[in-house]
Each structure stands twice: as structure tokens, then as C-alpha cells.
């Protein structure tokens, strides 16, 4: 398996634009997580899904953020409109048997 | 709710010296505990995990950690570090469900 695949690896966008981050989990994993990493706040859990259903979205910072998992092999995290303070590295992870596997992350820069 | 505290944001250590990275957790239920490593510009990789059984857990790259329930700690150790161990290390806790909460990380600097 190729592991968790995230795209794009880097994204630079202007403030106010919509940004969509994509994730393909490892086949057979039933949980998927979105994390945000910044120097100030460390690694924050934004939302996680189990069997494609959102279980806990308490970490989603505000209504500008939304996440979907339409099927077991794909998830998106959307920011609309984006703001400079959203600049961070966003990680997707999938898990099975109490072990989470991370993607390489998407480095988002909002200017 | 669970939480994880990594007491040191940065730890400098000389090459071939031993190192301990500290981690404390809080939870009202039984937990699973993890250490992950993040090399520059990469995602996190699992070093080791404690699910049950022996409180001393051995992981990859010569690392080990000891679960201490009375002190709610899960400190990571290595007897002799190498320059290639330079990375950020994250302690994490799960309430035996799916949700995994991470600490803020500890940057390990290996000095020549």
C-alpha cells in the first residue's frame, strides 16, 4: 500500500479564496483524522471520522472549516474563505488496530 | 477528556549520550499510549505503543518507553543517541477508542 496520500503537498493562496485539501486513506482503515500543525499550537485534532461518519468535530476552529468523507477512500478539508491565520501544515491520518498512519501533509500558506 | 503534557519543548544532548523525553497524561479511563517521531518536512511515524501487558515497551531505532500508571507517565528513553535521531517527538494518548490526542512535541537536538 502507498500509505496515506495527501494533495496538494504545498498550497499558496490569497486571503478570501477557497482552499480544498484532499486525502486518500490506507485501504481497509476505518478511521480518518485531520490534524493541523503550527509552531504556536502544536498538533491539533480538527475532526475524525469512523466508517465515513464524522464522530468528533469539536476541534474545527470555526464555520469556515468543513470536512467530508463521501466514501471510504476519500476525504476533503475545505476552508472558505481562507485567512492568513489558517497558514499551517495540515495532516491526514488513517488508523487501524490502534495505530495511526500519517500522510506527508499539505503546507498551506495564505497571503 | 484526555490530555498530554510534554514537559520539555527542546532537549539538547550530546551524540552517544543517553536521553529521556518526558510525557505525562491525564485521563479518567484506561488509555493507550504512543510515541511518534517527525523528521523535517515529513509526517509522523510510530515509534512505539503501549496497549496492555508489560509496562516496558520497546520500539524502533533503539527507543523504549515505560508506562507508569501511578505517575501517569510514559517517558521515552534511548541509551545512546545518534545524529540521525534529530527530530521532533510526540507523545499521544487514546481512550481506547479512535480519538488520539497529541502533546505539543519535544525537539531533540543532537550535539556533535
Amino acid at each position: 500500500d502507498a500509505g496515506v496520500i495527501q494533495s496538494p503537498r504545498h498550497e499558496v493562496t490569497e486571503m478570501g479564496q477557497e482552499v480544498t485539501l484532499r486525502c486518500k486513506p490506507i485501504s481497509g482503515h476505518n478511521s480518518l483524522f485531520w490534524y493541523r500543525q503550527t509552531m504556536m499550537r502544536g498538533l491539533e485534532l480538527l475532526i475524525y471520522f469512523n466508517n465515513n461518519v464524522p464522530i468528533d468535530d469539536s476541534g474545527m476552529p470555526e464555520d469556515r472549516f468543513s470536512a467530508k468523507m463521501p466514501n471510504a477512500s476519500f476525504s476533503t478539508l475545505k476552508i472558505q474563505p481562507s485567512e492568513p491565520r489558517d497558514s499551517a501544515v495540515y495532516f491526514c491520518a488513517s488508523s487501524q488496530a490502534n495505530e495511526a498512519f500519517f500522510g506527508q501533509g499539505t503546507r498551506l500558506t495564505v497571503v | 477528556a484526555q490530555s498530554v503534557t510534554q514537559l520539555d519543548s527542546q532537549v539538547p544532548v550530546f551524540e552517544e549520550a543517553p536521553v529521556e523525553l518526558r510525557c505525562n497524561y491525564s485521563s479518567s479511563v484506561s488509555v493507550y499510549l504512543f510515541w511518534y517521531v517527525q523528521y523535517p518536512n515529513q509526517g509522523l511515524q510510530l515509534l512505539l505503543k503501549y496497549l496492555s501487558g508489560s509496562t516496558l515497551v520497546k520500539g524502533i531505532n533503539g527507543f523504549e518507553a515505560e508506562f507508569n500508571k501511578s505517575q501517569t507517565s510514559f517517558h521515552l528513553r534511548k541509551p545512546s543517541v545518534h545524529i540521525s535521531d534529530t527530530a521532533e517527538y510526540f507523545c499521544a494518548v487514546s481512550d481506547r477508542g479512535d480519538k488520539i490526542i497529541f502533546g505539543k512535541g519535544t525537539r531533540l537536538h543532537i550535539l556533535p
Side-chain angles (χ1 to χ4, degrees), chain A residues 13-88:
Chain A
T13 191
E14 291 186 347
M15 183 173 62
Q17 296 298 306
E18 176 181 297
V19 176
T20 300
L21 312 181
R22 296 173 175 79
C23 175
K24 182 181 188 308
I26 294 172
S27 177
H29 285 191
N30 58 2
S31 293
L32 182 141
F33 308 82
W34 282 101
Y35 289 89
R36 177 173 67 177
Q37 186 178 33
T38 60
M39 289 292 290
M40 292 297 295
R41 300 171 72 92
L43 199 61
E44 303 172 274
L45 176 63
L46 300 178
I47 184 171
Y48 83 96
F49 296 83
N50 186 262
N51 293 323
N52 312 338
V53 176
I55 302 300
D56 185 346
D57 66 354
S58 58
M60 295 286 262
E62 49 197 274
D63 291 346
R64 297 185 297 107
F65 286 69
S66 62
K68 294 182 180 179
M69 193 166 185
N71 56 62
S73 59
F74 185 65
S75 177
T76 60
L77 178 68
K78 184 179 293 186
I79 308 173
Q80 165 64 14
S82 58
E83 296 182 3
R85 60 193 169 117
D86 302 330
S87 298

Side-chain angles (χ1 to χ4, degrees), chain B residues 25-58:
Chain B
Y25 69 92
S26 66
S27 176
S28 57
V29 299
S30 296
V31 296
Y32 296 147
L33 294 158
F34 309 84
W35 276 98
Y36 282 79
V37 60
Q38 184 180 30
Y39 299 105
N41 300 314
Q42 294 189 26
L44 280 70
Q45 304 171 33
L46 182 68
L47 266 182
L48 48 80
K49 61 184 176 182
Y50 170 79
L51 304 182
S52 65
S54 173
T55 57
L56 184 63
V57 181
K58 294 189 182 297

